[in-house]
């Protein structure tokens, strides 16, 4: 398979669309901060093992999702190409950026073990509010993933590969999760995309190499004439 560019890319894209969102859903379930004190300096100290586990799960979920996004972009070669390109780039940048922020988790645990919750939060805020950290690692880049991925699934829907319910469920899950405080209510929101993206991934795995390779044969007819 590693010598077959069509099969490798198809299987990789399909598999990661199943695995990546599932890892994120598992991460929010095992995260001590989901069920305990909303101050992570406290909740991480309550169960350091689960705190490390959720960090690793989030990290690999977001790293793998960045790769899966490239596979989704392949499905927009014929239609909604412009939207697929823009949203795909946003999603890749966003997910890679989110992954890097997870290194702050062990810092929060360390500070919480040696300081009061208030002092730990004060030190952490002082670190994260440095301009280089804020604008180099956080804003606005950290939101690109959760904005770009729903838009990319809209492009894949317009390309005719999935039904309308896929982008709706992905947007409701990832964007809706920002409407509630991080906690138990986040669990159903971040579980919803597992269904939509997982179904898309399974469909890619079942479509066969010939159908996947067919997307490389792009007609040069203007996109507007295909609508």
């Amino acid at each position: 398979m590693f010598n077959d560019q069509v099969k490798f890319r198809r299987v990789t894209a399909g598999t990661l669309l199943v695995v990546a969102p599932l890892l994120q859903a598992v991460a929010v379930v095992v995260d001590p901060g989901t069920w305990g004190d909303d101050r992570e300096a406290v909740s991480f100290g309550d169960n350091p093992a689960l705190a490390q586990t959720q960090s690793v799960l989030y990290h690999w979920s977001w790293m793998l999702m960045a790769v899966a996004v490239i596979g989704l972009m392949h499905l927009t070669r014929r239609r909604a190409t412009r939207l697929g390109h823009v949203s795909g780039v946003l999603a890749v940048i966003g997910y890679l950026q989110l992954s890097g922020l997870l290194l702050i988790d062990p810092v929060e645990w360390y500070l919480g073990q040696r300081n009061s919750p208030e002092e730990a939060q004060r030190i952490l805020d002082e670190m994260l509010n440095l301009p280089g950290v804020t604008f180099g690692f956080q804003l606005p880049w950290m939101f690109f993933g959760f904005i770009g991925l729903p838009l990319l699934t809209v492009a894949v829907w317009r390309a005719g590969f999935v039904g309308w319910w896929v982008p709706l469920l992905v947007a409701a899950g990832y964007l809706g999760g920002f409407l509630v405080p991080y906690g138990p209510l986040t669990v159903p929101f971040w579980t919803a995309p597992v269904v939509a993206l997982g179904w898309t991934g399974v469909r890619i795995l079942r479509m066969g190499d010939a159908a996947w390779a067919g997307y490389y044969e792009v007609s040069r007819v203007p996109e507007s004439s295909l609508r």
Side-chain angles (χ1 to χ4, degrees):
M1 186 180 74
F2 288 95
N3 291 326
D4 187 332
Q5 56 128 341
V6 174
K7 182 180 292 293
F8 178 80
R9 296 177 189 184
R10 179 181 62 82
V11 172
T12 299
T15 302
L16 294 186
L17 283 171
V18 175
V19 173
L22 183 60
L23 290 179
Q24 178 171 311
V26 174
V28 73
V29 172
V30 304
D31 186 352
T34 300
W35 314 101
D37 197 303
D38 59 0
R39 297 168 298 180
E40 292 182 336
V42 176
S43 60
F44 284 2
D46 293 337
N47 197 323
L50 284 183
Q52 294 175 68
T53 300
Q54 64 86 28
S55 292
V56 172
L57 289 172
Y58 275 131
H59 167 70
W60 281 105
S61 168
W62 295 338
M63 290 286 287
L64 295 178
M65 185 60 77
V67 180
V69 162
I70 298 174
L72 278 179
M73 291 172 66
H74 174 75
L75 301 174
T76 66
R77 287 175 177 268
R78 296 173 178 169
R79 295 189 62 180
T81 305
R82 186 181 297 108
L83 178 59
H85 285 164
V86 174
S87 59
V89 170
L90 288 177
V92 169
I93 292 174
Y95 276 106
L96 292 178
Q97 191 66 48
L98 282 169
S99 175
L101 291 176
L102 289 170
L103 283 177
I104 200 64
D105 286 357
V107 175
E108 288 193 87
W109 174 83
Y110 182 90
L111 292 175
Q113 294 298 296
R114 290 160 176 78
N115 301 274
S116 67
E118 294 75 20
E119 179 64 9
Q121 190 61 52
R122 185 195 67 80
I123 297 173
L124 187 66
D125 289 343
E126 187 173 333
M127 294 167 57
L128 295 181
N129 288 337
L130 292 170
V133 176
T134 299
F135 300 107
F137 293 89
Q138 299 181 70
L139 301 177
W141 330 110
M142 61 183 292
F143 299 107
F144 281 6
F146 294 131
I147 295 173
L149 183 57
L151 288 175
L152 180 56
T153 57
V154 170
V156 175
W157 162 58
R158 288 181 57 194
F161 189 78
V162 298
W164 58 267
W165 63 273
V166 170
L168 181 64
L169 204 55
V170 171
Y174 287 143
L175 299 180
F178 286 110
L179 301 179
V180 298
Y182 186 82
L185 290 179
T186 310
V187 175
F189 279 107
W190 283 9
T191 301
V194 176
V195 178
L197 294 174
W199 181 87
T200 305
V202 170
R203 187 169 184 206
I204 290 175
L205 291 172
R206 290 178 174 175
M207 69 188 295
D209 292 341
W212 180 267
Y215 281 90
Y216 289 111
E217 301 172 3
V218 181
S219 172
R220 292 303 176 183
V221 178
E223 183 181 359
S224 59
S225 67
L226 297 176
R227 295 173 182 171

